């Protein structure tokens, strides 16, 4: 599983799962969709705009079916 962060160098370009926290400035999904992963997941960024980010994430996945919506379970369970 790979979870790229904004402004970092990509050193893994294939694998089973790519999980992208969304939205992230300078880490737009379009930068990663060409990589060789079996599954592409969008996870809503937590924080003060979490509800809005969940809706944006779901809308993004509806328009881009290669990407599936996924939850950051550790955030929901409040596990650091």
């Amino acid at each position: 599983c790979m979870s790229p962060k904004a402004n970092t160098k990509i050193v893994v370009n294939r694998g089973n799962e790519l999980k992208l926290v969304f939205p992230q400035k300078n880490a737009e999904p379009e930068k990663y969709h060409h990589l060789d992963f079996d599954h592409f997941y969008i996870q809503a960024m937590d924080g003060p705009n979490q509800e809005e980010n969940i809706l944006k994430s779901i809308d993004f996945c509806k328009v881009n079916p290669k990407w599936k919506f996924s939850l950051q379970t550790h955030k929901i369970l409040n596990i650091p």
Side-chain angles (χ1 to χ4, degrees):
C1 177
M2 180 179 78
S3 184
K5 306 295 185 265
N7 303 314
T8 59
K9 181 180 179 184
I10 299 298
V11 294
V12 176
N13 58 20
R14 65 184 169 131
N16 185 261
E17 296 180 350
L18 186 146
K19 295 180 179 179
L20 182 64
V21 175
F22 182 85
Q24 284 188 77
K25 185 177 180 182
N26 298 319
E28 294 77 12
E30 296 79 19
K31 291 185 175 184
Y32 308 104
H33 73 267
H34 69 283
L35 298 176
D36 187 18
F37 283 84
D38 298 325
H39 305 280
F40 291 80
Y41 295 102
I42 290 289
Q43 298 182 322
M45 182 177 285
D46 67 335
N49 298 323
Q50 185 175 23
E51 189 173 322
E52 179 183 346
N53 292 338
I54 290 170
L55 295 174
K56 284 182 181 180
S57 297
I58 292 169
D59 288 344
F60 177 84
C61 291
K62 286 179 180 178
V63 176
N64 299 278
K66 179 175 188 166
W67 293 86
K68 297 170 235 158
F69 181 70
S70 175
L71 299 173
Q72 295 189 74
T73 310
H74 67 288
K75 298 283 185 173
I76 293 168
L77 297 174
N78 202 23
I79 301 171

